[in-house]
Structures are given as C-alpha cells and as structure tokens.
Amino acid sequence: MTSRFADGLAVGSDLGATAERAVGQALSRLADKADLVCFFICGDDPDDVAEAGRRAMALAPGAHVIGCSATGVIGDGQGIELAPSVSAWAATLDGARLTTFALETLTAEDRFVVVGLPERSPDDHVAVLLADPYSFPTDAFVERSADVLGDLPLIGGLANGMSGRGSVRLFADGQVYTEGAIGVLLSGDVNVSTVVSQGCRPIGPTMAVTRAEENLLLELAGQPALARLEDIVSELDEDDRELVASGLQIGLAMDEYAERHERGDFLIRGVLGIDPDREAVAIGDVVEVGRTVRFQVRDAATADEDLYDLLDAHREEIGKVDGALLFACNGRGSAMFGTADHDAVALRDTLGHIGMAGFFAAGEVGPVAGHNHVHGFSAAVLVFSSGSR
C-alpha cells in the first residue's frame, strides 16, 4: 500500500546497508516521489554513522533530507534502543516549500550569536530542529526563539551518539555536521500541527511564588518553599511519596489568568534539590515572583494517560492524520514503560497506521501554550493531516 507518508526500519551491524534498507523501505512505500526524507541512526562508531548517513542521503537526490545520530530509533510502529539500527521517514508534500538549514554559534564578547537561520515568510508553519546538545546552546536558543522567529513553532530533539560528546552526527542535504544544529522549515501548502506530552500529574495546590532568587524558590504563598513542599508530601499516599522521592517535578502555569490549573496547563521543570538552610527549593528554571506553580509527579501510568488523551483530542480536532514525526525522550521507552515500543504504539493506536518515525532524544523541543521550550521525559509530535492550512 502506498501513500503520501511512509516509514522504514532496519536493524543490523552493517550500518551503511541498514540505512539503505530503512530509507529504501520508506521511499518504496510512497505513491509519488519524496519531497522530504528524515532518518535517524543508532550506531557505536561515529565514523560508521557518518558513512551510513551519506549513503542514506544519496538515495533521495531530488528530496530535501535531514537526519541525526541517536541512542535509539523509532519506526514501523516500534522502538529500538541501544542497538545498531536506522529508522526513516519519507513524505510527498505537493505545494509545500521546504528550506533546510544548518546553524552554528559565534561568540561575541559575553554573548552568543546563532547564524544560519532561514529568512521568514508569512506562510511559514513550523521548523524541525535537530541539535547537538554538546556544542549548540539549544535551551537558550529555543527559549529566545520568539525574538528572531516570532511565533514560528519549533519541534524536534537533541541528537546524541553512543559515546556522548563528540559522537553526534547531523545530516542535511548531503552534508555531514559534527556540531551545531540542522533542520528544515516547512512553508506553503502543508497542514501541520504539534502535540507535546509532558506526562505529569499535579500534586498539592497551586501556589504563587512570593519570593525567589534566580532558580531558588524561597517562598510559596507567603510561606517558606521547603515547608510548603513538606506539607504537600506529608498528605500524599505511599505510592505518590515514592514518586516524589524518585524525581519530583514542578509545573509553571502557562496561563496566569485561568480559573483552574490542571494537568497539561503547566510547563514542566525538574526539582533539582533543596537548600535546608534557606528553606528553599531549587528548580530547573528561573521563575519570577508572582508566577503560579504546582508540584508534579511523573510515572508510567500518568505518562501513558497523558499521551493517549492528548493524541485522541488532537485527532478529533484536526480530522484525518496522514503522517507524523515523533521525538521521544530517551528516559521514556523501556526505562519508563518497560518497552521501547510504547510511544510508537500510542501513536498507532490513536492516529492510525500512518507513516511515522522518529528517535529517542536527549531532550525534546516543542511548543507549549504557543511558546517554544526544551523539555525532558516528554514526547513531541509533528502531525501532518489532510487538507491545507
């Protein structure tokens, strides 16, 4: 059966041949020529990964092609972790305008400047971003992206390699990059939307930050932040206390004027630790006084429910889905769910048997409440649906 979107997956120690099989599968399942091809490679040797990427790019000379290395890949309705493998995705996007780009960072005094951004047009819809977390300031770039890109959504993930720093490889239109970031801007007649599942459940009440210092919460609702947290934990059942001990999170309300703040209304950030002397709680973000926050926990059941609920609601809103790219945290998969297939199966269950591929990322990029952020333990999805925007 052929369509406008297709995926492929291959496993094997000969990465070059494996890449050719995966990309070949995706291309053969398309009804027409490919306009965009994405691929993701998991392999032990960065040089082998680079060569596999070159062979993958050579298979689609008329298409725009992007890809990256990863510690796990997703395709054909399943995930593969920490094993030599390649997933591929191909799309026929008649009417769309595609612009690939490569970003690098220049330093000027105490500032960094990102160069290589494509020029914006009124009909731009979304940019896919794949970045090397060791050489590219992804957090700062994404958080400040509105200053340069306006309201353009960014979606994607932080690439990685099996050897960490120095082993990341990025690919764009025939070129291999060992640092920076690459991506593709989608414009024109293409119907795309995004879903970001952060997979957390609120505990305790919502509270206003009444005193803070950089990333330290000093007071919540007029009381020492640590005392507030201890009160909340003391009222939890044993199971939730274990979740707090294994990794407490905090949600920053995205709409301060909402009457209620429930699951999905927050930007999730990690709780990094406590300062007993100052009765403070350290978190993974800088929060201004007056911001509404709520502590959160994350477990497999909550993450499962959150992803399914968001995808079901999204499908009902946009109608028929044709294809998707999935960027799932490498802390999900078997570490969270006991299987590498969970997120891929969730997309298939909710969106149907569509062309879908992706990779396990070292951090995910996606918009929440209209603002781009870098996330952890999330699943970020770029959805392609029928019709035109």
Side-chain angles (χ1 to χ4, degrees), residues 194-270:
T194 60
V195 176
V196 177
S197 172
Q198 300 179 88
C200 279
R201 169 167 53 87
I203 57 172
T206 56
M207 298 167 287
V209 177
T210 48
R211 196 157 68 93
E213 184 179 298
E214 295 185 346
N215 72 322
L216 282 181
L217 300 180
L218 300 172
E219 285 187 2
L220 296 173
Q223 299 294 323
L226 183 55
R228 281 287 185 181
L229 175 57
E230 290 172 341
D231 287 345
I232 291 169
V233 173
S234 69
E235 297 178 359
L236 299 177
D237 60 29
E238 185 175 343
D239 289 341
D240 278 352
R241 288 184 188 180
E242 289 183 4
L243 293 178
V244 168
S246 64
L248 180 64
Q249 314 291 314
I250 192 165
L252 316 180
M254 300 305 296
D255 181 0
E256 292 289 343
Y257 302 102
E259 292 184 6
R260 293 168 59 85
H261 293 95
E262 302 297 339
R263 190 179 72 188
D265 295 330
F266 298 92
L267 174 66
I268 305 300
R269 290 294 183 249

Side-chain angles (χ1 to χ4, degrees), residues 167-388:
S167 66
V168 173
R169 297 295 180 266
L170 305 169
F171 308 94
D173 284 357
Q175 299 297 312
V176 180
Y177 300 88
T178 58
E179 58 184 18
I182 57 94
V184 60
L185 175 64
L186 281 70
S187 313
D189 188 8
V190 58
N191 194 23
V192 289
S193 52
T194 60
V195 176
V196 177
S197 172
Q198 300 179 88
C200 279
R201 169 167 53 87
I203 57 172
T206 56
M207 298 167 287
V209 177
T210 48
R211 196 157 68 93
E213 184 179 298
E214 295 185 346
N215 72 322
L216 282 181
L217 300 180
L218 300 172
E219 285 187 2
L220 296 173
Q223 299 294 323
L226 183 55
R228 281 287 185 181
L229 175 57
E230 290 172 341
D231 287 345
I232 291 169
V233 173
S234 69
E235 297 178 359
L236 299 177
D237 60 29
E238 185 175 343
D239 289 341
D240 278 352
R241 288 184 188 180
E242 289 183 4
L243 293 178
V244 168
S246 64
L248 180 64
Q249 314 291 314
I250 192 165
L252 316 180
M254 300 305 296
D255 181 0
E256 292 289 343
Y257 302 102
E259 292 184 6
R260 293 168 59 85
H261 293 95
E262 302 297 339
R263 190 179 72 188
D265 295 330
F266 298 92
L267 174 66
I268 305 300
R269 290 294 183 249
V271 173
L272 306 181
I274 60 173
D275 184 340
D277 293 336
R278 303 185 69 184
E279 295 188 273
V281 177
I283 68 171
D285 210 333
V286 176
V287 181
E288 297 177 351
V289 170
R291 189 78 178 267
T292 300
V293 299
R294 191 174 182 184
F295 288 107
Q296 314 266 332
V297 292
R298 179 188 282 120
D299 61 0
T302 298
D304 173 85
E305 181 182 347
D306 188 63
L307 180 58
Y308 272 88
D309 286 351
L310 285 172
L311 291 172
D312 278 332
H314 196 70
R315 184 202 61 222
E316 291 179 7
E317 178 183 344
I318 66 174
K320 184 177 184 298
V321 175
D322 300 319
L325 287 168
L326 168 61
F327 309 97
C329 182
N330 54 22
R332 292 170 69 96
S334 58
M336 178 177 286
F337 301 108
T339 171
D341 302 338
H342 177 273
D343 291 344
V345 170
L347 262 70
R348 180 164 287 184
D349 287 346
T350 54
L351 305 182
H353 285 258
I354 58 174
M356 184 278 297
F359 72 99
F360 290 101
E364 305 74 59
V365 176
V368 172
H371 298 279
N372 295 316
H373 300 282
V374 178
H375 309 275
F377 292 93
S378 73
V381 188
L382 177 61
V383 179
F384 293 78
S385 54
S386 301
S388 59

Side-chain angles (χ1 to χ4, degrees), residues 40-59:
F40 312 101
I41 303 174
C42 179
D44 293 325
D45 188 325
D47 291 336
D48 290 345
V49 171
E51 178 58 27
R54 292 187 186 95
R55 289 170 68 169
M57 290 186 286
L59 292 179

Side-chain angles (χ1 to χ4, degrees), residues 14 28 33 38-39 46 57 63 73 139 152 159 169 231 274 313 331 341 344 349 363:
D14 184 341
S28 68
K33 68 177 182 65
C38 304
F39 63 87
M57 290 186 286
V73 303
D139 285 81
L152 180 73
R169 297 295 180 266
D231 287 345
I274 60 173
D341 302 338
D349 287 346

